[in-house]
Amino acid sequence: MTSINMRGSSWRRRLAGVSTAALAVTAGFAAPAVAQQTEQAQPGSVTLDEIIITAQRREQGLQEVPIAVTAFSQEMLERTAATGLQDVAGKAPGVTMTQFNVGEPQIFVRGVGTTSDSAASDPSIGVSIDEVSIGRAGASALAFMDVQRVEILRGPQGTLYGRNASGGALNVYTNRPDFAPFGQLTARYGSFNEMGLEGVFNGEIAEDTAGRIAFRFSTNDGYAENVLTGADLHGGTSFGLRGQVLREAGNWSFLAGFDGSMEEMDGQARIPVTVATTPAPFVAVINNLRAGLDIRETLNPDATYQNRTNWGITGRAEWQGDNFGFVSLTSYRDNDYDWRDNLGGLTYPAFPLRVDNRAEEQADQFSQEFRFVSAADSNINWVAGVYLFRENVVRTERFIVETALPIAPPIFGGDTTFFQDATNTSYAVFGQAAIPFASIWELTLGARWTHDEREVHQVAIDNDLGLNGPPGIPLGPTGSPYDVSASTTFEEPTWRVALSVEPLPDVRFYASYDRGYKAGAYISAAQTGAQAVQPLSSELLDNYEIGAKTTVFDGRLRFNAAAFRLDYTDLQVNELAGLNLVASNAQAEVEGFEIETALAVTSAITIGGSYTSLDAQFTSDAISAGGTLPYEGNILPRSPESQYTLYADGEWRVGQGTLATRIDYQWTDDYFFDPSNNPEVLIPSYGLLSAFASWETDNGFKVSVYGKNLTDEEYRNHVIKNVGVGFSVFGPPRSFGIALSRTF
């Protein structure tokens, strides 16, 4: 049986997917969440609110933008008990998010993403906070704190967002200071002894100056356990703080902000998962060692942990004239993390392999953007600007490996450290314009030219000093220590062309062609000095898309759909083969479609959902300095063939207050975790059910209750494969929480 056939009949799945989509449309099950910044309907009216977003660097209605985009409002974030990007990513069409550790979240959109941890590489999905692009993945796992909305853009965003958004962009917007006084305190308690306190204080400082402070504290015992030591896992303590000051001065406004967070988290529970192709002796050993244990109990001989500190300062100056406006956005950010993980979760030598993996990284970045924008009432809406980004990253990763037969002779074990010191610099100029013509048509033209520079110093150290034979895995036995430096440049134009037409009011169709680009990269943990100085080629992505955005039945039903084709040239691919990290370039194609709708059933009830279908495959083998990998015909990693979401949301007056409820369900088809398509990295399909209810009095007191994974689904968040075993991290079990808040 081939690895592709393991997913079942493609035709049967396609038919089932189309049937699900048809049911969603017929029932009005909808997905685009209502963003907080909306034009509210009249009380009691049966209509949907207009959603206002800034995906194209200016305020627009969601239905006006010829881009596949989903927005999550502050209200929805609360009603889904979302604490970070991981809680909303799966609710957007075509998006998956998993996490190796606190420093390495992995986001994929329409099959596009990366698992690279190299200091000399870029993410494939851009993440920004208040329009500041986050360079390192470890700094992008943002905890939500006083967040106004989240926008998820699908497809290349090369014109306005640049080189690190070849597959899409996740944009987080926080609440700005306001001159009206406002305060809120929230205390929460939940499963696993979770306790938290959050607060927001906002108000006028002077006649033309307002300030806002938000904080968040959370601690929990974790949902897993190390049965060898009795230590809790997947828990810990975190604290975050954000402060902003806004000054209005005529046509000018100035916003200065600071944010910071600290996390001291427990390690993870790695659980070995066997499949039909796992060698029988390993199955027997694993079953014997883990007899009586469940999927959230691990046999970890090491004291594991995950720590991170993250802070930044931002200055934004805006000027608005009669004919155009000007924005200057300056930012500095600093992110440090360190972690330790046992990659097997089994005792040694009872199981003949132990991998103690440790890493630490220090990164800082500076960015400056100058942007000119057209006036809000301009006939042609345009934006143009220049961008500078510079990043310094120092990364150290250490592998302590012990081996025994039948996996490998003890001599193959060892103690190896990989060191990277990288500087990544990027310059860009960009512009985009939306040109209306012939009453109902609009043409969007955009272009960006990007120049990237990379400098890297890479070192591989055999900490055993050669005393135990060849260098240990993952450097050896075919590799050898090295100390090398390299530098290179990349540059590429990217563009966007979109044509839209509105033949009827609130009925818009569009067709677009976008070019995305991700700069070439130097790989981490190379086996030889020659591999360490040979960069991967730049990644190019062409996206062809047609779509519809419609609001019908007097504003009660919103129906959005998009069909797309992505052609990849030199896709950067990473695979952990044994204990060696192999990085390479390959060609790939992705085809699919997405449906999003929303239906106002009554003035109080909205139902919703979405459906995504993906066909994502490699069209070539992967070529690198380390050799050729047989990927042609394989399915791209993190690319479920089908995904869908359903929700129902209600709000009623009850007594002297307002009752709000929400129920969410998200289902993900099975998918492969890495490009090998090996059986042990096949993630079975799963569905997650959550619910929320709150009652808020007219004087600002609110009590909320919520539950996540209510069906107690067993699903995997991460997999590392070795010797036919999928060493996995499972997601949280069923959990509940209660929150008490007071607004004043």
Side-chain angles (χ1 to χ4, degrees):
M1 181 179 295
T2 67
S3 58
I4 294 179
N5 287 337
M6 291 180 61
R7 301 185 69 167
S9 167
S10 176
W11 284 107
R12 287 198 303 272
R13 288 178 178 272
R14 290 276 171 189
L15 181 59
V18 172
S19 299
T20 302
L23 287 172
V25 174
T26 302
F29 286 150
V34 179
Q36 183 188 27
Q37 189 177 352
T38 61
E39 293 184 10
Q40 298 294 324
Q42 294 298 317
S45 63
V46 185
T47 185
L48 297 168
D49 296 333
E50 181 185 4
I51 303 171
I52 304 300
I53 61 174
T54 54
Q56 296 193 119
R57 303 305 196 199
R58 56 190 174 90
E59 290 189 0
Q60 292 176 281
L62 174 70
Q63 301 301 90
E64 301 173 13
V65 181
I67 296 175
V69 54
T70 301
F72 299 87
S73 69
Q74 184 171 348
E75 180 181 86
M76 182 182 177
L77 296 176
E78 177 192 1
R79 294 185 184 182
T80 55
T83 59
L85 288 176
Q86 71 279 1
D87 293 316
V88 299
K91 292 179 172 60
V95 181
T96 62
M97 180 175 177
T98 59
Q99 190 156 313
F100 180 24
N101 51 60
V102 71
E104 297 177 34
Q106 298 166 353
I107 305 170
F108 283 69
V109 178
R110 294 178 173 176
V112 179
T114 183
T115 60
S116 174
D117 58 15
S118 173
S121 67
D122 296 322
S124 298
I125 307 301
V127 176
S128 69
I129 180 168
D130 292 330
E131 299 186 356
V132 174
S133 177
I134 307 298
R136 297 297 292 166
S140 67
L142 302 168
F144 289 167
M145 180 172 53
D146 195 27
V147 170
Q148 183 194 71
R149 71 184 187 279
V150 178
E151 298 176 6
I152 299 182
L153 287 62
R154 301 183 295 280
Q157 306 298 320
T159 301
L160 297 180
Y161 293 87
R163 78 205 195 290
N164 63 343
S166 59
L170 278 71
N171 303 326
V172 178
Y173 298 90
T174 65
N175 285 303
R176 288 190 177 191
D178 191 274
F179 287 89
F182 172 82
Q184 186 179 71
L185 285 173
T186 302
R188 65 180 70 247
Y189 181 79
S191 300
F192 322 117
N193 201 30
E194 178 191 12
M195 293 180 285
L197 182 65
E198 304 158 29
V200 179
F201 303 94
N202 176 93
E204 183 176 338
I205 299 175
E207 182 179 356
D208 56 0
T209 306
R212 192 178 187 96
I213 295 177
F215 71 88
R216 179 186 181 98
F217 170 82
S218 178
T219 182
N220 72 87
D221 292 340
Y223 62 83
E225 181 185 5
N226 185 343
V227 297
L228 291 182
T229 64
D232 294 322
L233 298 173
H234 290 284
T237 300
S238 63
F239 174 76
L241 177 69
R242 176 181 297 112
Q244 298 182 86
V245 176
L246 173 68
R247 183 172 184 270
E248 302 283 3
N251 289 347
W252 284 93
S253 69
F254 302 93
L255 179 68
F258 165 85
D259 68 273
S261 63
M262 295 181 293
E263 296 161 283
E264 294 184 356
M265 311 301 290
D266 304 325
Q268 304 186 112
R270 286 272 171 197
I271 309 298
V273 176
T274 60
V275 294
T277 55
T278 304
F282 295 154
V283 175
V285 170
I286 291 171
N287 288 344
N288 180 61
L289 287 173
R290 291 191 50 79
L293 301 182
D294 66 29
I295 60 167
R296 297 180 180 92
E297 293 178 306
T298 187
L299 299 166
N300 182 357
D302 301 313
T304 58
Y305 54 83
Q306 303 180 84
N307 301 317
R308 179 173 58 176
T309 61
N310 193 359
W311 64 272
I313 54 176
T314 302
R316 183 185 184 102
E318 295 185 65
W319 174 83
Q320 185 59 57
D322 293 334
N323 300 314
F324 66 92
F326 170 77
V327 178
S328 171
L329 184 61
T330 309
S331 177
Y332 174 85
R333 300 198 65 84
D334 184 279
N335 178 67
D336 298 341
Y337 70 79
D338 60 282
W339 53 264
R340 182 181 184 184
D341 196 2
N342 181 285
L343 301 187
L346 294 167
T347 54
Y348 177 87
F351 187 78
L353 175 66
R354 170 180 172 263
V355 182
D356 179 6
N357 185 199
R358 315 175 192 186
E360 60 182 63
E361 180 177 294
Q362 299 83 41
D364 62 77
Q365 67 171 69
F366 170 81
S367 64
Q368 174 65 59
E369 182 171 344
F370 296 112
R371 194 162 70 226
F372 294 88
V373 296
S374 60
D377 58 355
S378 296
N379 184 44
I380 297 177
N381 291 297
W382 54 266
V383 59
V386 296
Y387 178 76
L388 164 67
F389 175 89
R390 187 176 180 88
E391 174 185 61
N392 301 293
V393 185
V394 177
R395 177 182 172 83
T396 303
E397 187 163 13
R398 183 180 181 184
F399 294 87
I400 301 175
V401 180
E402 293 180 284
T403 60
L405 293 174
I407 289 180
I411 197 172
F412 282 3
D415 184 347
T416 306
T417 297
F418 295 96
F419 170 82
Q420 290 184 296
D421 185 355
T423 299
N424 305 309
T425 306
S426 183
Y427 311 90
V429 294
F430 61 91
Q432 182 168 298
I435 307 166
F437 65 96
S439 175
I440 61 173
W441 293 86
E442 183 177 81
L443 176 66
T444 300
L445 298 174
R448 188 184 189 103
W449 177 83
T450 305
H451 175 86
D452 288 300
E453 300 174 358
R454 297 206 191 280
E455 300 176 22
V456 66
H457 177 207
Q458 303 218 66
V459 182
I461 303 171
D462 177 11
N463 296 316
D464 287 337
L465 302 177
L467 299 179
N468 295 323
I473 297 172
L475 179 60
T478 58
S480 59
Y482 53 81
D483 185 340
V484 296
S485 297
S487 63
T488 190
T489 61
F490 307 92
E491 55 186 37
E492 198 72 34
T494 52
W495 55 79
R496 172 172 176 75
V497 180
L499 181 65
S500 64
V501 60
E502 190 174 4
L504 298 171
D506 299 320
V507 175
R508 180 181 294 262
F509 302 98
Y510 70 89
S512 63
Y513 167 41
D514 300 86
R515 164 63 64 92
Y517 153 71
K518 187 172 82 168
Y522 290 102
I523 68 173
S524 62
Q527 275 76 65
T528 67
Q531 293 177 16
V533 298
Q534 179 63 47
L536 297 178
S537 299
S538 294
E539 192 174 279
L540 298 178
L541 172 60
D542 289 314
N543 182 63
Y544 308 90
E545 185 168 325
I546 58 174
K549 293 194 169 185
T550 66
T551 306
V552 295
F553 300 139
D554 296 324
R556 294 184 61 170
L557 175 64
R558 180 180 299 125
F559 176 85
N560 294 344
F564 52 86
R565 176 187 173 91
L566 286 70
D567 289 334
Y568 251 120
T569 301
D570 291 327
L571 171 65
Q572 296 171 14
V573 190
N574 298 273
E575 180 190 346
L576 190 63
L579 288 176
N580 291 329
L581 179 64
V582 182
S584 50
N585 289 108
Q587 318 307 314
E589 292 180 355
V590 181
E591 294 181 346
F593 67 87
E594 301 158 347
I595 295 173
E596 302 180 280
T597 65
L599 175 66
V601 180
T602 69
S603 60
I605 300 174
T606 301
I607 60 176
S610 66
Y611 180 79
T612 304
S613 175
L614 275 182
D615 181 6
Q617 292 192 355
F618 289 99
T619 57
S620 77
D621 293 335
I623 310 299
S624 73
T628 300
L629 294 172
Y631 288 166
E632 185 172 3
N634 281 10
I635 296 168
L636 293 182
R638 323 295 170 89
S639 301
E641 195 168 302
S642 299
Q643 289 176 285
Y644 68 83
T645 65
L646 303 170
Y647 78 84
D649 192 285
E651 186 174 303
W652 303 266
R653 286 290 300 174
V654 175
Q656 300 300 308
T658 301
L659 172 67
T661 63
R662 186 180 180 94
I663 185 168
D664 281 271
Y665 182 76
Q666 61 187 78
W667 185 86
T668 302
D669 202 355
D670 51 65
Y671 62 88
F672 290 104
F673 208 80
D674 76 23
S676 71
N677 285 195
N678 283 7
E680 62 269 28
V681 297
L682 180 66
I683 307 299
S685 60
Y686 63 90
L688 299 177
L689 178 67
S690 62
F692 170 93
S694 69
W695 185 68
E696 183 175 12
T697 66
D698 294 337
N699 63 359
F701 175 78
K702 180 188 291 187
V703 57
S704 306
V705 293
Y706 52 89
K708 296 183 178 182
N709 192 9
L710 293 177
T711 58
D712 206 20
E713 188 87 353
E714 296 180 353
Y715 65 101
R716 290 188 273 174
N717 269 337
H718 196 270
V719 180
I720 292 176
K721 71 176 190 298
N722 209 329
V723 296
V725 180
F727 297 94
S728 305
V729 175
F730 282 80
R734 180 189 297 117
S735 63
F736 300 95
I738 183 171
L740 303 176
S741 64
R742 172 70 168 158
T743 302
F744 49 88

